[in-house]
Amino acid sequence: MSFIAIGAPPAQSAGPGCGAVVTKSTTLQRNLTNCPGDGLVIGADNLTLDLGGHTIDGTAVPATAGIRLAGHHDVTVRRGTLQEFGNGVLLDAADGNALVRLTVARSIGRGVQLQNGSDGNRLEFDVSSDNGSSGFVLLASDRNVITHAAGSGNAFSGLQGFGASGNRVVGGTFTANKTGIGLEEGSNGNLVTGNVLSGNREPAVGIDGNDNVVRGNRADHNGWGIIFGGDRNQIVANVVTGTLGCSPDDCGTGIETPGGADNLVALNLVTGTADQGIRLREFEADGGPPTIGNVIRGNVVRDAGSDGIVLQDKTNEVTGHGTVKDNLVANNLVTGSGHDGIAVNRPANTVSGNIALRNRAFGIEAVNGVIDGGGNLAFGNGDPRQCLRIACHRR
């Protein structure tokens, strides 16, 4: 009689452990728990790391990353959770990669950070919440596309960019952060569209740069709505409702700029703001730019807490007036404001074709030297004169 020895089946690989360098396409087979340093490190181009729905968990050590991707391209990281690292996902000088359906939570610093020229990456359906700083950060990184992101409960911004240009932020949800979306320090040519922003303590969207487009977003019950500075920005077809204010004598406006030139504010619906609906002003005495050649056209402003639309609501008590001129306020509908419907407090600006009704004070109030472009209509306002220094037709 002969016997055939049957050995045990070969052991199945447990897959990479904490701190492993991934150099080929890999699917994670288990959770990684209490990683003392990085979770996983990408070490090659042209691969996919599929977390398989698993969680990579850190120990809240600064300068660690749940996924570290430095200097590599054509990498996809998808389907999993990173939690309790310094940064949840860190891309450093890494171009042309994809982060898909990742959930990042409770990072000491930032949830997902792209830095040092991490350009042309794609982020889709990612969630970043309850981080010690911002949910998503673009640091000197350009031409990235962030679609259907969700950033909530972060100590700073849901999504923040510094010197980040040509990026697209599309169809996201940003709630209960300090700022919803902030693009600052010379962030130019970005598109922010189709996002929902609510319950953020300060602005829903804050922009500091040139040639940005903020279009078709909805901002509900934030400290204020959209604040932008710079030149040639377009703030178009947004809905801003129920701003709350965030400190005495500040915030609470629907849309505003502290200075800039040739910007367009058009076709927005602004309702129920704690302070003004739309405001242009300047801070030249503090080193800011003048406010010149901007257009406020075709907006609907309802039930503003103060003026519906205002050009320069305050005067610097030390330096007096800065420059607010050659701006156009045209074809807007302003109703139910707590003070004036439209107030233009600097000469050499033009008012034409607006409708102002049922505002508490004047329909339109202007100072000497404001240009009457004609075609303004005002009725049912609190002051029986309806308009001051502007000719207004009545019904």
Side-chain angles (χ1 to χ4, degrees), residues 187-232:
S187 293
N188 303 319
N190 298 286
L191 173 65
V192 177
T193 187
N195 300 282
V196 176
L197 308 108
S198 63
N200 298 291
R201 298 186 299 280
E202 292 190 0
V205 179
I207 298 287
D208 178 18
N210 303 325
D211 303 302
N212 297 287
V213 176
V214 180
R215 183 178 64 215
N217 303 282
R218 184 176 185 95
D220 298 316
H221 293 89
N222 302 280
W224 70 69
I226 299 168
I227 180 169
F228 66 97
D231 303 335
R232 300 178 304 279

Side-chain angles (χ1 to χ4, degrees), residues 50-143:
D50 190 336
L51 301 183
H54 293 96
T55 296
I56 303 178
D57 171 75
T59 52
V61 175
T64 60
I67 301 292
R68 185 180 296 273
L69 170 52
H72 293 290
H73 58 83
D74 295 319
V75 172
T76 298
V77 183
R78 67 189 185 195
R79 295 198 315 132
T81 298
L82 298 309
Q83 63 186 29
E84 297 183 345
F85 289 93
N87 296 105
V89 180
L90 180 62
L91 271 61
D92 189 352
D95 296 346
N97 302 289
L99 307 177
V100 182
R101 297 189 182 278
L102 300 177
T103 297
V104 179
R106 301 191 301 280
S107 304
I108 294 175
R110 294 155 172 173
V112 178
Q113 179 159 311
L114 281 60
Q115 66 183 34
N116 294 333
S118 290
D119 302 334
N121 297 286
R122 178 170 48 90
L123 282 64
E124 297 180 354
F125 295 97
D126 297 313
V127 177
S128 188
S129 61
D130 300 314
N131 298 291
S133 183
S134 295
F136 300 86
V137 172
L138 305 173
L139 182 58
S141 295
D142 303 334
R143 302 184 306 282

Side-chain angles (χ1 to χ4, degrees), residues 272-343:
T273 55
D275 206 341
Q276 292 94 347
I278 298 173
R279 177 169 66 183
L280 303 187
R281 53 180 177 166
E282 52 73 33
F283 291 91
E284 283 189 279
D286 301 312
T291 300
I292 299 175
N294 301 286
V295 175
I296 302 174
R297 186 192 299 275
N299 303 281
V300 175
V301 181
R302 296 176 180 156
D303 302 323
S306 182
D307 299 318
I309 297 173
V310 61
L311 273 59
Q312 194 66 5
D313 61 321
K314 296 180 180 179
T315 299
N316 187 305
E317 294 179 358
V318 176
T319 61
H321 300 310
T323 305
V324 180
K325 69 175 185 178
D326 300 331
N327 301 288
L328 174 64
V329 181
N331 305 114
N332 302 282
L333 170 64
V334 186
T335 68
S337 301
H339 193 247
D340 295 330
I342 298 172

